[in-house]
Amino acid sequence: MGELQAPARDFWTALEPGEDPAARLKQVRRAHELFVQTGTLSPATGPTSVRSVVRDSWMRSAKGGVNPSGMTDDSSMSWNDFLEYRNGHPMAAAYPLVRSLMLDEVSDSGVVVALTDDVGRLLWVEGDHKARDQASGINFVEGALWAEQVAGTNAPGLALEVDHGVQIFGAEHFALRVQDWNCVAAPVHDPVTGAVIGVIDVTGGERVATPFALSMVKSVVAAVEGELRIRSLTGEVPREVEPSGPSLTVLDGDRYFWRPTGGPSMRLSRRHAEILVLLGEYPGGLGTEQVATMLAEDGIDPVTVRAEISRLRRDLGADVVASRPYRLTTPVDSDIGQVRRMLRTGEIARAIEKFGRGGLLSVSLAPGIADIFEELKEDVRSAVLTSGDPEFLRAWTASVHGREDLAAWRRWGQTLVPGHRDEALVQGRLRLLDRRFGI
């Protein structure tokens, strides 16, 4: 690589006030072509058209072996592993605030908002549906890696590299496929350690090329870091707030837990978990015969029901379940209820992840539990299909409950642009399901 003799502009924003975007883009595109061909910039094109922060990124990208004509499609993590990783990442605490501050503003503006982790993996990509569909054509999708050393010069990758807010304009992107886009990004820091935990990015068209776009992102980052700082000082749980009353966990694999108010969790037998779920679903109470028929296809002996309730009271406390009819004496939060709340608030990806863990609803043979499972499954499925969001459809069809959902696979296929990386997967699964169901 040749050394550049003159310093380029060192602005974090792409355009100076009053600068003609078309003329600037023409200059940068010419400089990019020269750089790709020769590995250097001449004084005639370098200082006037390429900012130093971009020039340095191009050089790192080229030195690192990034191909400007293609991009690496990172698929080292399965979708279920990705969801688990994302939900446990510190940036998950920033997600609700970013939604409230930005997404209403950009829902129909032709841009997408992304949150990454500290290595450039896209954790959330949301915003305008048409823009998201178009962005999927350059692999700007949840789970993809956009670190500079993988994707070349881009705003989220560069913001991580230099630990500073930055704007990338059109042909300033190193990869040719991305040069129709503009993007701005700024890093988010841990309030205690100061370490970068991720990036907030906005990607889109002309609106993202304005200096105001970077200011907006930096102001959102400041708000997020302030919120994280308050939570670190108060000890507030960043993602899922602990319920104030007793809670029931039955969707997390084959272990079921009761947590009393202010006390440690207690493991439940499957039968006791089934009874608590049923009583939670029928707050008005259930008679002995009703419980018996909900627990077994042919019913069980009423004496057995009374014995199970007696053991349940012994284990959890005599004041948990009242009699005549059997009912819970206080409202109980549960992960079943959490899934329903997520659906109501539009947190569909989180609802899919929590519901898709399996748990009691998937394995119980009790008719009453099976009914609850089918109702909740249909609620999640309907939310996914109604949204038409390709990432929700991807998550649903990757889950144990949606992997054979023919309608969901078809709907997902309809959302993909020709040549999308998932097109072959979807078409192959549709052929398999068509044969399996004899369609």
Side-chain angles (χ1 to χ4, degrees):
M1 298 288 177
E3 291 294 329
L4 302 178
Q5 301 301 315
R9 302 188 324 177
D10 195 14
F11 304 135
W12 298 109
T13 53
L15 300 172
E16 294 182 308
E19 188 171 11
D20 180 5
R24 176 100 173 104
L25 183 62
K26 186 176 180 180
Q27 287 180 330
V28 175
R29 182 169 287 119
R30 186 167 60 247
H32 183 271
E33 291 172 354
L34 173 67
F35 183 82
V36 170
Q37 292 168 4
T38 67
T40 187
L41 293 172
S42 71
T45 59
T48 59
S49 59
V50 182
R51 295 175 289 155
S52 62
V53 66
V54 173
R55 174 204 68 196
D56 293 344
S57 179
W58 283 3
M59 299 202 48
R60 287 192 301 268
S61 300
K63 185 176 180 180
V66 178
N67 181 358
S69 299
M71 293 170 55
T72 301
D73 184 358
D74 178 81
S75 55
S76 59
M77 188 181 297
S78 73
W79 183 248
N80 286 336
D81 288 343
F82 166 71
L83 290 177
E84 182 177 357
Y85 169 75
R86 180 175 74 175
N87 290 336
H89 194 275
M91 284 293 285
Y95 173 70
L97 183 57
V98 173
R99 280 188 61 93
S100 66
L101 291 176
M102 300 186 77
L103 288 181
D104 287 344
E105 299 296 325
V106 304
S107 60
D108 59 353
S109 62
V111 305
V112 293
V113 176
L115 279 69
T116 83
D117 64 6
D118 57 335
V119 297
R121 189 176 299 278
L122 302 182
L123 300 177
W124 284 273
V125 180
E126 299 202 10
D128 182 89
H129 283 285
K130 183 177 180 181
R132 288 180 62 186
D133 289 344
Q134 294 170 339
S136 68
I138 58 169
N139 198 36
F140 199 81
V141 296
E142 291 173 352
L145 195 60
W146 277 73
E148 183 186 75
Q149 60 267 33
V150 173
T153 306
N154 68 90
L158 184 53
L160 287 171
E161 185 71 28
V162 300
D163 192 10
H164 199 286
V166 66
Q167 182 175 48
I168 296 298
F169 173 60
E172 290 181 334
H173 289 94
F174 189 72
L176 294 170
R177 290 172 55 193
V178 194
Q179 291 189 350
D180 289 336
W181 297 81
N182 305 310
C183 52
V184 292
V188 178
H189 298 86
D190 182 278
V192 177
T193 67
V196 174
I197 60 173
V199 157
I200 297 174
D201 168 86
V202 175
T203 293
E206 293 181 0
R207 292 183 61 180
V208 187
T210 64
F212 171 75
L214 181 57
S215 299
M216 176 188 67
V217 171
K218 291 170 71 174
S219 68
V220 172
V221 167
V224 166
E225 291 180 341
E227 179 73 9
L228 295 178
R229 187 175 299 109
I230 292 172
R231 288 176 171 181
S232 71
L233 294 173
T234 62
E236 181 182 347
V237 177
R239 290 183 293 280
E240 292 186 4
V241 178
E242 295 290 346
S244 57
S247 62
L248 179 64
T249 301
V250 295
L251 296 180
D252 195 8
D254 60 356
R255 298 186 302 168
Y256 321 119
F257 294 95
W258 167 267
R259 182 173 183 177
T261 305
S265 296
M266 305 164 56
R267 189 165 180 177
L268 299 168
S269 69
R270 179 184 294 186
R271 182 62 83 197
H272 284 176
E274 290 170 338
I275 291 172
L276 288 170
V277 168
L278 292 172
L279 295 180
E281 292 291 308
Y282 295 90
L286 295 170
T288 303
E289 293 292 342
Q290 290 176 297
V291 174
T293 57
M294 288 182 178
L295 288 177
E297 191 70 42
D298 299 326
I300 59 177
D301 192 290
V303 174
T304 302
V305 172
R306 288 191 285 270
E308 289 288 357
I309 297 290
S310 178
R311 283 191 284 270
L312 186 60
R313 286 172 169 156
R314 180 197 64 200
D315 293 344
L316 305 187
D319 59 341
V320 171
V321 179
S323 300
R324 299 177 184 174
Y326 295 125
R327 63 194 185 279
L328 296 173
T329 58
T330 186
V332 174
D333 192 22
S334 72
D335 43 6
I336 296 173
Q338 290 167 13
V339 171
R340 291 180 176 136
R341 290 197 296 274
M342 290 170 187
L343 294 176
R344 287 198 298 270
T345 57
E347 299 175 274
I348 299 176
R350 293 185 64 204
I352 296 168
E353 190 276 331
K354 186 173 284 289
F355 180 62
R357 294 176 184 176
L360 180 71
L361 299 193
S362 298
V363 300
S364 176
L365 300 178
I369 301 298
D371 289 343
I372 296 168
F373 170 68
E374 291 299 331
E375 291 171 2
L376 190 58
K377 178 181 177 180
E378 188 56 36
D379 289 344
V380 176
R381 179 177 183 270
S382 296
V384 171
L385 293 177
T386 300
S387 75
D389 188 300
E391 296 309 315
F392 297 161
L393 290 159
R394 180 208 292 262
W396 175 245
T397 53
S399 73
V400 65
H401 306 311
R403 65 178 55 171
E404 293 191 345
D405 189 335
L406 184 58
W409 282 99
R410 285 175 174 165
R411 185 73 180 91
W412 185 17
Q414 293 167 359
T415 69
L416 301 178
V417 296
H420 189 277
R421 63 172 184 162
D422 292 323
E423 187 175 27
L425 168 67
V426 173
Q427 294 304 319
R429 187 57 60 90
L430 285 173
R431 288 192 296 270
L432 175 64
L433 294 176
D434 285 343
R435 291 196 302 269
R436 184 172 295 169
F437 296 137
I439 298 176

